Amino acid sequence: MATATAPAPARSYAFRDSMTMLRRNLTRMRRYPSMTVQIVTLPVLLLLLFVYVFGGAIGEGIGAGDRGDYVNFLVPGIIVMAVTYGTIPIAVSVCSDMTEGIINRFRTMAISRSSVLTGHVLGNMVQIVCILALVTGVAYAIGFRPNATAVEWAAAMGLLLLLAFGLSWLSAAMGLRAKTVESASNAPMPLTYLPFLGNTIVTPESMPTGLRWFAEYQPFTPINETLRGLLLGTGIGNSAWISLAWCVGLALVGYLWARSAFRKGAER
Amino acid sequence: MSAMHAIHAEGLRKSYGEKLVLDGIGLRIPEASVFALLGPNGAGKTTAVQILSTLIGADGGEARVAGYDVVRQADDVRRSIGVTGQFAAVDGLLTAEENLLLMADLHHLPRREGKRRAADLLERFDLTPDAKKTVSSFSGGMRRKLDLAMTLVGEPRVIFLDEPTTGLDPRSRRMLWELIRGLVEDRGITIFLTTQYLDEADQLADRIAVLNGGRIVAEGTSEELKRRIPGSHIRLRFGGEDQLDAAARVFDVAQRDPENLALNIPGDGTPGTVRAVLDLLDAARLEAESLTVHTPDLDDVFLALTEKPQQPVPAL
């Protein structure tokens, strides 16, 4: 039994340590729910604003139909936007770990190094799932009526989780690079503005040429297109593949950036 | 060699860009002793702790902690050490108990053992009544106590305490000193302490090293260090620089302290010596604003050793 008591290498603890860190982050979210509430409020407010204030006019303008039809056009984009808002908390929590000194405690312990960030990303994913459930619930209440099958729902969920995963890593990297918690909470903001410059609120056809070109080629447009297709049965075309490529690309860039920022952080 | 020493370092060097922070320091710290690294702000104390606790790599030199190489056997070192830094590294949103259980989980202890150690430490550190409160409501002293308790969950053989009482009120400092002394007495833990407070080093440490400008400028027991600087001196303060300069010419063995317009003349405080000093002043038609007699304490050692980093201690 000597082998059982010998200290195992840190690698074999990667899963256990990540789960420990995930538990820690979930407890933190429960203790500080105002962050999650704040984050869920923003997309819900936007949804209500665009449906009830602008909805009648925009629906007519882009040829989507009346207010009721516009809800169906808008909601998938708002759900995607909710994912972008949902990644703000991870930048904040990662940055506060870095600036408050607890990271140095973790770094001087024989734990799996990656578990610190993995725990944050997994915690953020749980948070985003809660946010998405709430936003979708509100959308339902105001008349969102998808016609998706179980498989389509699962595919939509998969796409959103993949997007959340990529943006989470990206936002974690921003949190690692930020010097203060305040700047960390602002760093992911551009990600939340990007959907506006796409097909979230209106169709890009109504935009001036330069902006239209940007709107058509930026990542959130094919993602919105795919989600609409899955939930409402509109045409997807090759958007699904483009979305997947974007999501995988974002995840890769985010992960590598976060990993290198985490290593550099040790020398700070 | 390393079996006898809890910490053994040779020629540690570290610079950040152009700035040389550690310029070849060597350490030999026996097991179950308290070692204090004393130095002013920016002397490189924290950098030394960061290297020895595997947080950062050195640019040169070697170090072994608890018998393991800090670079090649970093995880073995991490399993043997505990670190309590300058800023309490606790999770403010968790309760005291949850913080300790988090440490137990990260040390991969079985659940029951983790709970037992957490309960023991809460008891030992008088935190049991606050165990279920979130740490953000704790005072500075309580946070620092919890921080130290968290460091002990893994039952480390070597503990690094980086300025453990900086920013604490006198009562909390004393309380932490008691806890630290207890650790060495009952558990045989080796403690590496950094501090800028001389009384702290004097109170706790078996051996003290003074770090200044990245080098260890003196090392020994508190008594040995006090012996390294001359005995008592008589301090004269003057009203102006010209007076000080004139007096310095009279007492050529004296040390000038131009910032305070003062002159430190080696010698004891017997009436005979004081009278001789005053007579010499009178003869030179000089008048001092005040005269005080100083007997050396660690502060003098510290000031003598750290004010002029390039020069050896003046042998008077």
Side-chain angles (χ1 to χ4, degrees):
Chain A
M1 284 316 280
T3 47
T5 52
R11 190 178 299 277
S12 70
Y13 285 123
F15 180 75
R16 188 171 168 183
D17 291 341
S18 299
M19 288 303 121
T20 302
M21 292 297 185
L22 172 61
R23 270 204 305 281
R24 165 182 178 243
N25 288 310
L26 293 179
T27 310
R28 288 171 61 88
M29 285 167 203
R30 273 208 317 277
R31 291 281 149 73
Y32 185 49
S34 61
M35 179 59 124
T36 314
V37 171
Q38 220 177 319
I39 290 302
V40 81
T41 313
L42 288 163
V44 166
L45 281 179
L46 283 174
L47 178 63
L48 298 178
L49 179 74
F50 277 99
V51 168
Y52 290 111
V53 181
F54 306 129
I58 297 178
E60 298 270 306
I62 61 170
D66 61 9
R67 195 190 311 278
D69 298 324
Y70 182 63
V71 172
N72 282 335
F73 174 86
L74 181 67
V75 167
I78 291 287
I79 289 176
V80 169
M81 217 178 222
V83 174
T84 65
Y85 281 112
T87 57
I88 293 174
I90 187 174
V92 174
S93 55
V94 165
C95 183
S96 74
D97 269 8
M98 293 296 144
T99 50
E100 279 167 13
I102 198 157
I103 189 64
N104 283 344
R105 182 181 285 288
F106 294 148
R107 281 196 168 113
T108 56
M109 296 177 78
I111 60 171
S112 146
R113 294 257 140 160
S114 58
S115 69
V116 179
L117 290 181
T118 311
H120 275 294
V121 168
L122 293 178
N124 190 219
M125 303 271 293
V126 172
Q127 205 170 15
I128 289 175
V129 168
C130 297
I131 291 169
L132 290 183
L134 284 166
V135 171
T136 312
V138 173
Y140 242 94
I142 64 168
F144 175 54
R145 290 295 175 266
N147 59 8
T149 62
V151 176
E152 283 167 329
W153 269 112
M157 203 59 208
L159 176 67
L160 289 169
L161 284 178
L162 190 60
L163 175 68
F165 182 72
L167 292 181
S168 240
W169 279 108
L170 209 58
S171 183
M174 292 175 184
L176 285 164
R177 296 302 300 271
K179 295 221 160 39
T180 63
V181 173
E182 287 74 24
S183 62
S185 70
N186 290 331
M189 281 300 187
L191 287 176
T192 68
Y193 301 145
L194 213 49
F196 282 107
L197 308 179
N199 61 352
T200 305
I201 309 293
V202 297
T203 50
E205 283 81 58
S206 58
M207 297 177 187
T209 319
L211 189 59
R212 189 171 71 218
W213 187 85
F214 178 81
E216 275 165 4
Y217 289 99
Q218 67 127 313
F220 289 104
T221 296
I223 295 171
N224 287 341
E225 209 59 51
T226 308
L227 201 61
R228 275 190 195 117
L230 288 172
L231 298 181
L232 300 159
T234 53
I236 296 179
N238 57 0
S239 290
W241 298 113
I242 300 173
S243 306
L244 279 180
W246 270 115
C247 289
V248 171
L250 281 171
L252 209 61
V253 169
Y255 172 73
L256 292 176
W257 187 24
R259 202 177 62 164
S260 98
F262 187 69
R263 286 192 184 150
K264 278 195 199 115
E267 296 283 328
R268 195 157 63 176
Chain B
M1 174 169 56
S2 51
M4 289 151 58
H5 291 114
I7 299 174
H8 184 116
E10 209 83 68
L12 287 184
R13 300 172 62 83
K14 178 80 186 174
S15 24
Y16 287 107
E18 292 284 286
K19 187 167 164 30
L20 185 61
V21 183
L22 290 181
D23 187 11
I25 69 164
L27 299 163
R28 281 188 173 77
I29 302 172
E31 279 181 3
S33 70
V34 182
F35 176 87
L37 191 60
L38 187 64
N41 285 335
K45 302 187 296 290
T46 297
T47 306
V49 169
Q50 285 174 331
I51 292 172
L52 294 172
S53 63
T54 76
L55 268 177
I56 59 172
D59 296 339
E62 284 191 62
R64 296 180 81 80
V65 173
Y68 301 111
D69 186 282
V70 291
V71 179
R72 286 189 296 275
Q73 298 163 300
D75 263 342
D76 293 304
V77 171
R78 290 180 190 133
R79 261 186 276 275
S80 317
I81 64 170
V83 186
T84 289
Q86 226 175 112
F87 304 102
V90 296
D91 189 323
L93 291 176
L94 302 187
T95 65
E97 187 181 30
E98 284 167 344
N99 266 295
L100 292 169
L101 291 174
L102 172 67
M103 290 299 110
D105 285 342
L106 292 176
H107 281 292
H108 313 120
L109 297 174
R111 192 121 278 231
R112 184 182 297 178
E113 175 66 8
K115 285 200 164 149
R116 191 189 64 74
R117 287 195 199 177
D120 277 0
L121 286 162
L122 287 167
E123 191 63 43
R124 182 190 177 94
F125 283 45
D126 279 331
L127 288 167
T128 310
D130 305 296
K132 308 272 184 209
K133 289 185 190 154
T134 50
V135 173
S136 48
S137 67
F138 279 22
S139 70
M142 281 164 75
R143 287 172 85 101
R144 218 66 76 91
K145 268 206 297 198
L146 177 63
D147 194 330
L148 189 54
M150 285 167 75
T151 297
L152 294 173
V153 171
E155 303 195 331
R157 287 160 59 197
V158 179
I159 295 185
F160 293 93
L161 299 174
D162 188 16
E163 306 206 6
T165 66
T166 296
L168 291 188
D169 61 77
R171 187 185 299 278
S172 306
R173 288 181 72 199
R174 267 166 215 288
M175 173 197 75
L176 268 171
W177 288 351
E178 283 307 315
L179 288 172
I180 293 167
R181 270 197 217 104
L183 293 179
V184 189
E185 280 161 19
D186 347 321
R187 301 200 182 187
I189 296 176
T190 308
I191 292 182
F192 183 103
L193 165 86
T194 78
T195 181
Q196 41 177 324
Y197 300 120
L198 301 131
D199 52 342
E200 187 158 290
D202 213 358
Q203 285 271 342
L204 295 174
D206 300 312
R207 288 184 74 77
I208 300 169
V210 181
L211 186 67
N212 193 40
R215 287 175 161 279
I216 289 182
V217 291
E219 189 179 346
T221 61
S222 144
E223 286 311 310
E224 282 166 356
L225 288 180
K226 284 175 194 166
R227 248 182 274 142
R228 284 196 55 167
I229 61 155
S232 21
H233 64 260
I234 293 165
R235 184 174 172 85
L236 297 173
R237 282 185 58 133
F238 294 95
E241 220 160 306
D242 47 334
Q243 296 248 354
L244 175 65
D245 291 339
R249 282 192 290 277
V250 176
F251 301 97
D252 54 356
V253 292
Q255 251 190 305
R256 289 174 77 237
D257 177 1
E259 221 168 289
N260 296 308
L261 293 175
L263 200 60
N264 295 334
I265 306 160
D268 53 34
T270 59
T273 316
V274 175
R275 186 176 302 122
V277 167
L278 292 174
D279 286 346
L280 278 168
L281 273 182
D282 277 343
R285 294 172 187 282
L286 289 167
E287 188 140 357
E289 287 201 334
S290 73
L291 178 150
T292 41
V293 176
H294 279 263
T295 44
D297 55 15
L298 264 183
D299 276 300
D300 294 311
V301 181
F302 188 69
L303 292 174
L305 291 168
T306 58
E307 261 180 359
K308 296 168 187 163
Q310 307 315 329
Q311 290 170 17
V313 191
L316 292 172

